[in-house]
Amino acid sequence: MADNTFRLQIMASDHVVYDGDALSAVIPTTEGQVGIMAHHSNIIMAVVPGILEYVPADEDGRALERHYAVVANGLIKVENNELMVLVDTAEDPEAVDEARAERAEARAREELKHSDTMREHAMAEAELSRALSRIKATRTRRNHKI
Amino acid sequence: MASTKEIKNRIKGVHDTQKITNAMYMISSTKMRKARRYAEQTKPYFDLMRREMRRMFAVNRDLKSRYYDADIDESLHGGRNAILVITGDKGLAGSYNQNVIKAALALADKSDEYKFYIVGDYGWRFFRSRGYNVEENFKHSMILPTLDMARNIAVEMLNAFDRLEFDRIYVVYTDFTGGMDAGDAVHDRLLPFDIDDFVPEGDEHASSASAVFEYEPDVETVLANVVGPYLIGYTYSALVNSYCSEQNARMMAMDAANDNANDLLASLELEYNHLRQNAITQEITEISSGARSLKKKKHQ
């Protein structure tokens, strides 16, 4: 590991976002955006919902492309030049809409199962079709970009 | 005595039922494997979160907040309790649902005031039709537990707790033992949670707890910030445990049904063959006696 880098581990509750060397990271905390670089003193801070930035590094300590993630509540810990970020959710900013639409879909499906009256059923069904079309729209938009 | 046709129909019926129980057995085992695979993915995160919380509690034993406390006398169950009950959506799973319901009712008996929050259609129907105090707007099916589902449930419980509606929140779920029994219905206090749960187990943790950390802004704020994620993790593991227990219980129930069907088929087949033999014997007797009487007539 080059001298100007530190080990960065970003863990969301259901997947590992990044695990490797990094040059710097900017994290939304209760005290505002906090920047962390190599050889930071040992610290534990509370993460609040916001946008997290980090610059990954290659083996020689050269900067790679800057990454962003939309994060929820959690905490960070710096210990012996290792930064660990534990956050409930971390999403690619591009995929935020899609993730939200997917959650809405799951919710609508559950409501559909629980609908007791015709009216509730119709409403849940409408909600489901809205969610599905939103998912389709975000996916089409993303594919066009690539 | 039943005719051979009736027994034949009966055998066919048992065969058809056996097809269903066989299929249900297979479905349950697949569902269980799937749930465990998902749970496996979230384990590292929640383990790390727990470790960090343990570290914070280890340095500050006398912290106190609405969310956690070391000195709650668990023998006094009274007060206003919210009880999160995790049941299944369907029956046909042995005593799985009954065990959970029994444990939930026992807990409600000890409370001064209670309100049930039900997960799973079976429990929902049971508690509602019998007029228990159930939160009407809390509707969750026990489909494959996901983190999102756990998040929704945990946030709803936390909100109710924050509105000061309850003194304590319990969760009643089934602990998955993986063995051949149905698993035990257990209850745990979700909020306020016990710091003693975080007592370091061995020396390895004690050494990591001794490392010096700066807390920004302070330990209380950091802890308050992870109460949500901690609850989500806890709820998720309770859901997964219950789900696996349910599928396991169903597998065993279906296995027993299969065995019963086999026994039934064996005895039915025996009876069928008996009847068939009897019919054949009778026919032969009739023919031969008929032939004999014909012979006698000729001789005369």
Side-chain angles (χ1 to χ4, degrees), chain A residues 9 11-15 30-31 41-48 73-75 77-79 84 86-89 103 107 110 113-114 116 120, chain B residues 41-42 44-46 48-49 51-52 55-56 89 121 128 139-141 143 147-148 151 211-217 221-222 225-226 229 232:
Chain A
Q9 231 184 338
M11 313 262 296
S13 46
D14 52 357
H15 67 291
T30 46
E31 307 301 287
S41 62
N42 289 358
I43 194 169
I44 291 180
M45 295 185 85
V47 177
V48 294
N73 280 330
L75 59 80
K77 179 192 78 168
V78 183
E79 185 176 16
M84 186 171 75
L86 285 177
V87 281
D88 188 24
T89 58
R103 279 200 294 275
R107 205 166 43 238
E110 205 172 322
K113 261 192 89 182
H114 270 295
D116 298 326
E120 273 176 33
Chain B
Q41 278 172 11
T42 64
Y45 168 82
F46 289 113
L48 282 171
M49 181 63 84
R51 209 175 73 194
E52 292 315 315
R55 186 208 305 279
M56 284 185 263
D89 271 357
D121 294 344
R128 274 220 335 180
K139 290 183 187 173
H140 288 282
S141 297
I143 34 177
L147 208 56
D148 274 330
R151 187 173 294 125
V212 182
F213 283 93
E214 232 179 286
Y215 289 91
E216 191 78 38
T221 314
V222 178
N225 211 34
V226 294
I232 293 167

Side-chain angles (χ1 to χ4, degrees), chain A residues 3-141:
Chain A
D3 196 45
N4 59 342
T5 62
F6 59 95
R7 174 146 183 256
L8 173 63
Q9 231 184 338
I10 305 176
M11 313 262 296
S13 46
D14 52 357
H15 67 291
V16 178
V17 180
Y18 181 73
D19 189 354
D21 292 348
L23 275 175
S24 70
V26 181
I27 293 138
T29 71
T30 46
E31 307 301 287
Q33 297 284 113
V34 169
I36 305 252
M37 298 185 83
H39 308 296
H40 197 284
S41 62
N42 289 358
I43 194 169
I44 291 180
M45 295 185 85
V47 177
V48 294
I51 294 178
L52 181 150
E53 299 175 39
Y54 60 96
V55 181
D58 63 12
E59 277 157 29
D60 306 317
R62 279 191 297 265
L64 300 173
E65 198 193 340
R66 181 180 289 263
H67 279 66
Y68 298 87
V70 181
V71 297
N73 280 330
L75 59 80
I76 60 161
K77 179 192 78 168
V78 183
E79 185 176 16
N80 304 329
N81 210 25
E82 278 186 25
L83 170 60
M84 186 171 75
V85 182
L86 285 177
V87 281
D88 188 24
T89 58
E91 281 154 3
D92 186 349
E94 302 253 312
V96 164
D97 284 345
E98 192 177 333
R100 193 164 62 195
E102 274 167 5
R103 279 200 294 275
E105 185 203 340
R107 205 166 43 238
R109 280 192 198 282
E110 205 172 322
E111 266 164 34
L112 201 60
K113 261 192 89 182
H114 270 295
S115 49
D116 298 326
T117 62
M118 291 287 280
R119 211 177 95 85
E120 273 176 33
H121 187 82
M123 271 168 67
E125 219 165 37
E127 208 168 303
L128 180 61
S129 62
R130 269 200 302 278
L132 286 175
S133 55
R134 271 200 298 268
I135 292 174
K136 210 167 146 191
T138 49
R139 281 194 189 145
T140 323
R141 202 169 55 207

Side-chain angles (χ1 to χ4, degrees), chain B residues 82-241:
Chain B
I83 305 171
L84 176 66
V85 189
I86 303 177
T87 66
D89 271 357
K90 298 183 184 81
L92 291 180
S95 56
Y96 168 78
N97 285 310
Q98 291 308 318
N99 286 347
V100 176
I101 286 170
K102 235 183 278 167
L105 289 177
L107 194 59
D109 269 347
K110 291 185 197 153
S111 321
D112 295 336
E113 258 178 66
Y114 70 87
K115 193 172 218 177
F116 286 123
Y117 286 73
I118 314 286
V119 177
D121 294 344
Y122 190 97
W124 176 254
R125 281 195 302 273
F126 178 93
F127 286 104
R128 274 220 335 180
S129 62
R130 281 166 184 73
Y132 288 102
N133 189 10
V134 174
E135 172 61 51
E136 296 280 331
N137 294 322
F138 187 85
K139 290 183 187 173
H140 288 282
S141 297
M142 194 56 186
I143 34 177
L144 179 74
T146 60
L147 208 56
D148 274 330
M149 181 177 160
R151 187 173 294 125
N152 291 339
I153 291 171
V155 167
E156 273 179 80
M157 302 311 291
L158 198 59
N159 284 345
F161 190 69
D162 281 342
R163 284 196 301 269
L164 303 177
E165 284 174 25
F166 304 106
D167 301 320
R168 285 169 210 182
I169 294 181
Y170 289 91
V171 55
V172 181
Y173 65 101
T174 312
D175 205 14
F176 182 61
T177 46
M180 285 316 279
D181 53 17
D184 302 319
V186 292
H187 73 264
D188 273 334
R189 198 176 68 226
L190 211 53
L191 277 172
F193 55 82
D194 198 343
I195 296 182
D196 289 338
D197 286 351
F198 290 91
V199 168
E201 283 131 20
D203 285 344
E204 36 154 353
H205 300 303
S207 62
S208 72
S210 63
V212 182
F213 283 93
E214 232 179 286
Y215 289 91
E216 191 78 38
D218 50 58
V219 188
E220 281 88 346
T221 314
V222 178
L223 271 173
N225 211 34
V226 294
V227 165
Y230 168 74
L231 281 184
I232 293 167
Y234 204 100
T235 312
Y236 184 60
S237 85
L239 284 172
V240 170
N241 263 310

Side-chain angles (χ1 to χ4, degrees), chain B residues 12-32:
Chain B
K12 194 177 166 296
V14 175
H15 265 303
D16 286 348
T17 312
Q18 205 177 18
K19 269 182 209 154
I20 298 174
T21 55
N22 248 329
M24 276 179 80
Y25 180 90
M26 239 99 91
I27 291 169
S28 287
S29 75
T30 321
K31 280 183 170 172
M32 187 162 98

